[in-house]
Amino acid sequence: MPKFSKRPCIVQSIINLCSQGQFKQAIHSLDIIARKGTRLDSNTLAFLLRECADTRSLKEGKWVHLHLKLTGFKHPNTFLLNHLINMYCKCGEHVVARQLFDKMSERNLYSWNNMVSGYVKLGMVVPARKLFDRMPVKDVVSWNSMVIGYAKSGKFGQCVRFFKDLRRSSIGFNEFSFSGVLTVCVKCRDFGFTKQVHCRVLVDGFLSNVVITSSIVDAYATCGELGDSRRLFDEMKVRDVMAWTTLVSGYAKRGEIRLARELFDVMPEKNSVSWTALVSGYARKNMGHEALELFTEMIRCRVKPDQFTFSSCLCACAGIPSLKHGKEIHAFLIRSNLRPNTIVVSSLIDMYSKCGKLQIGELVFDVMGDKNDIILWNTMISALAQHGFGEEAIQMFRYMVSIGLQPDRITFIVILNACSHSGLVQEGLRFFESIRSDHGIFPDQEHYACLIDILGRAGHFDEVLKQLKRMPCEPDSRVWNALLGVSRIHGNIKMGRLAAEHLIKMDPLSSAGYMVLSSIYAALGKWETAENIRQVMNDKNLKKEQALGW
């Protein structure tokens, strides 16, 4: 809070209310001051506008603006106008902010940076760039705003070009100049580019900045290079909670749950993101009981769970499956007064479905969530498919399309699975053909894997071979795994061998191809051949992989 000179008691009382956290009450007291004819000084008004901006209190900000007009500030000076523009931008009212900016009789560098930064924070990089190009004078803040703006809007090429132009200019740069390019490193998952940025940070002497170094740790982890991420983490003299959480999350996502837990246990400070990262890791590893035990410990430590925590816990309940625990999590979610997002609602539907309570899942779908979000429909169609209600899944799909919702690639994966598990071959073929012709989506490897599953389960292996030849690209492991599965169901040694050979060629250290081929021979009573395959596995020191649900 700024230092204020001695002022009337009524003005001081407003300042005191702000200090006591009663900000809204303080703002609503301004009309008393206006009626008494008392005029607040510029510093006090700027302080109130900053509070409105920081708390995103648009209504209160408008009160302050009105008070300005009523007390003789109909045409505020540049200092107050800058604070008004900042307040309106932070509250999302960019149109009003721009109107004030355009009417300014005198603008300083802060005025221009304020407006450019306001556009950037609202994700409006095009008007920000237009204004940036008009700036009579630019400083490092102006350039940093544009670098960050392009990074956040996904225009990574422009971001990198701006960063390079900044470095070539005589303006200079600071630690904030790296924020945008580090965002690019994380979002693009480009290991080579991340190494270049890391090298640049080291040469420029900013590696001691804990925020920048934590971002590089995050970038390496996101690229899947946990070795480099851990080395940099170990070299950090000071570590913030972001660096710790990034590494815990990285290990958990890669399935190295023991290392994730060891790091988590020695963290000096944990937040809800740290806890959720490990809970999610356990859930993905099919360690549902451990995930729920950790969640219980999290609640005991009075750490408030967020949407991702609840989603991960519900996934853990679905994986066990445990209806009892799922209901407890649902009840806790209701008591927390947290408005569940689409991911949480989808997790609830999935949990009830996998715990054998499809009707409750349908009820959740009917009463909760945004029906304009395709994720909810995909989850519900998938739930119907898992329970063998292929016809009902198709009806739901058709209804969804009839009300104007556009299916995505996941929608077609779940509807093709519904056709496969319900033996609806012709319907499945029609859906596959409609992916491109009716919806403009190019079928990918997963869609072809579903098609192979539909045809193979029905025993149409001649058609399977035709579809494999028609594929626009070489089949990947998902397609060959699908063929391997249906070959096992029908005992088709020829097709099973074909799929297994391709899988082994793609990944010689994976046991999947060997295992299924051995099972096919064993089911046909060809025990000697099956044993020979097992011996090859032993010679290569291959072990059966843990089953994982998609």
Side-chain angles (χ1 to χ4, degrees), residues 175-444:
E175 63 271 26
F176 300 107
S177 305
F178 289 96
S179 298
V181 287
L182 285 169
T183 300
V184 173
C185 292
V186 172
K187 289 189 175 181
C188 285
R189 301 184 179 187
D190 188 330
F191 178 52
F193 184 61
T194 301
K195 286 197 295 184
Q196 289 180 38
V197 175
H198 182 186
C199 181
R200 195 70 264 170
V201 169
L202 177 64
V203 170
D204 292 335
F206 291 117
L207 208 54
S208 59
N209 185 294
V210 67
V211 175
I212 290 179
T213 310
S214 295
S215 297
I216 299 172
V217 169
D218 185 24
Y220 279 133
T222 307
C223 293
E225 300 294 335
L226 280 172
D228 291 281
S229 185
R230 183 60 187 264
R231 274 191 292 275
L232 182 57
F233 175 84
D234 290 339
E235 290 170 4
M236 292 175 71
K237 293 179 180 178
V238 179
R239 304 180 185 113
D240 62 0
V241 69
M242 176 188 167
W244 285 91
T245 303
T246 293
L247 213 50
V248 169
S249 178
Y251 281 133
K253 285 177 180 175
R254 204 160 80 173
E256 297 183 28
I257 204 72
R258 183 183 59 81
L259 288 172
R261 185 59 192 257
E262 286 175 0
L263 205 62
F264 177 84
D265 287 340
V266 296
M267 282 181 72
E269 179 189 351
K270 302 178 181 74
N271 58 17
S272 64
V273 181
S274 322
W275 288 88
T276 302
L278 194 57
V279 170
S280 177
Y282 278 129
R284 272 196 299 268
K285 197 74 173 172
N286 284 348
M287 300 170 72
H289 293 291
E290 290 83 353
L292 296 176
E293 284 172 10
L294 188 65
F295 177 70
T296 304
E297 187 182 340
M298 177 182 177
I299 301 305
R300 283 201 207 102
C301 293
R302 299 184 181 279
V303 179
K304 189 177 180 181
D306 60 17
Q307 304 269 13
F308 295 108
T309 319
F310 282 111
S311 176
S312 298
C313 288
L314 290 166
C315 288
C317 296
I320 300 175
S322 172
L323 181 62
K324 175 179 176 291
H325 288 110
K327 284 183 173 180
E328 288 174 353
I329 300 294
H330 191 180
F332 187 78
L333 173 65
I334 294 169
R335 290 197 304 274
S336 70
N337 291 321
L338 192 70
R339 185 182 178 88
N341 62 18
T342 300
I343 302 301
V344 174
V345 177
S346 294
S347 299
L348 276 168
I349 296 169
D350 187 56
M351 181 274 294
Y352 280 119
S353 169
K354 287 179 178 172
C355 291
K357 296 293 180 181
L358 180 62
Q359 287 183 326
I360 301 179
E362 289 178 303
L363 183 62
V364 170
F365 174 82
D366 289 337
V367 302
M368 296 174 72
D370 179 9
K371 295 300 182 295
N372 290 320
D373 197 318
I374 194 67
I375 294 174
L376 277 187
W377 292 85
N378 290 347
T379 306
M380 195 63 239
I381 293 170
S382 178
L384 290 167
Q386 288 166 14
H387 283 261
F389 295 117
E391 294 283 2
E392 289 81 354
I394 291 171
Q395 287 174 15
M396 175 165 271
F397 174 90
R398 286 174 177 156
Y399 176 71
M400 180 194 82
V401 173
S402 73
I403 61 173
L405 271 178
Q406 178 64 34
D408 60 11
R409 61 173 294 276
I410 301 296
T411 315
F412 285 103
I413 290 170
V414 295
I415 199 65
L416 289 171
N417 271 308
C419 295
S420 177
H421 291 292
S422 298
L424 303 171
V425 179
Q426 294 306 314
E427 289 85 348
L429 289 172
R430 279 194 289 270
F431 276 121
F432 185 83
E433 291 300 323
S434 73
I435 296 176
R436 182 185 295 179
S437 60
D438 295 346
H439 301 282
I441 299 171
F442 285 90
D444 59 24

Side-chain angles (χ1 to χ4, degrees), residues 146-189:
M146 289 308 304
V147 171
I148 292 168
Y150 278 125
K152 288 185 175 179
S153 63
K155 297 182 178 180
F156 303 138
Q158 284 282 66
C159 170
V160 175
R161 278 194 290 274
F162 251 78
F163 178 72
K164 288 179 178 178
D165 289 343
L166 169 60
R167 293 185 63 85
R168 292 190 195 104
S169 71
S170 58
I171 292 172
F173 52 91
N174 57 25
E175 63 271 26
F176 300 107
S177 305
F178 289 96
S179 298
V181 287
L182 285 169
T183 300
V184 173
C185 292
V186 172
K187 289 189 175 181
C188 285
R189 301 184 179 187

Side-chain angles (χ1 to χ4, degrees), residues 23-75:
F23 173 63
K24 291 187 178 181
Q25 187 179 339
I27 296 297
H28 292 151
S29 301
L30 290 177
D31 61 336
I32 301 172
I33 291 180
R35 286 199 300 269
K36 288 183 176 291
T38 304
R39 185 169 175 173
L40 296 177
D41 61 276
S42 293
N43 284 333
T44 305
L45 289 165
F47 165 70
L48 293 175
L49 286 169
R50 274 199 306 272
E51 289 290 306
C52 293
D54 293 341
T55 56
R56 307 296 190 269
S57 304
L58 178 61
K59 184 180 177 182
E60 284 70 29
K62 286 181 175 179
W63 270 96
V64 179
H65 194 181
L66 178 63
H67 179 80
L68 284 170
K69 295 175 181 177
L70 294 174
T71 55
F73 284 105
K74 192 172 182 180
H75 301 288

Side-chain angles (χ1 to χ4, degrees), residues 124 492 515:
M124 303 172 67
N492 190 323
M515 286 298 303

